[in-house]
Amino acid sequence: MAKLDPIVSEIATTEEAEAHDAWVRAKVREALADPRPAIPHDEAVARIDAVLARFEKRS
């Protein structure tokens, strides 16, 4: 099990890095295969802003 430099990577071993890479690639494939229509950038940002505003009101 090869150790990775913690200054360069938050992932400790090459095995963990490979597993993370496989997970990311699977998520990308899943997103690309999603048949739902894309959300325009401005709408996505507005949704995120609304969620953040609700969290800010709680504090």
Side-chain angles (χ1 to χ4, degrees):
M1 179 168 17
K3 296 281 185 182
L4 301 177
D5 185 345
I7 293 173
V8 176
S9 174
E10 293 181 10
I11 298 173
T13 66
T14 53
E15 289 79 8
E16 289 176 12
E18 290 168 356
H20 182 265
D21 183 65
W23 176 80
V24 169
R25 289 175 186 276
K27 289 303 219 178
V28 169
R29 279 192 302 275
E30 179 183 317
L32 290 172
D34 189 337
R36 294 177 294 180
I39 300 170
H41 176 77
D42 293 343
E43 183 180 338
V45 170
R47 290 181 186 187
I48 293 168
D49 287 344
V51 169
L52 292 174
R54 286 197 305 270
F55 280 116
E56 288 173 358
K57 286 180 183 179
R58 288 186 191 177
S59 353

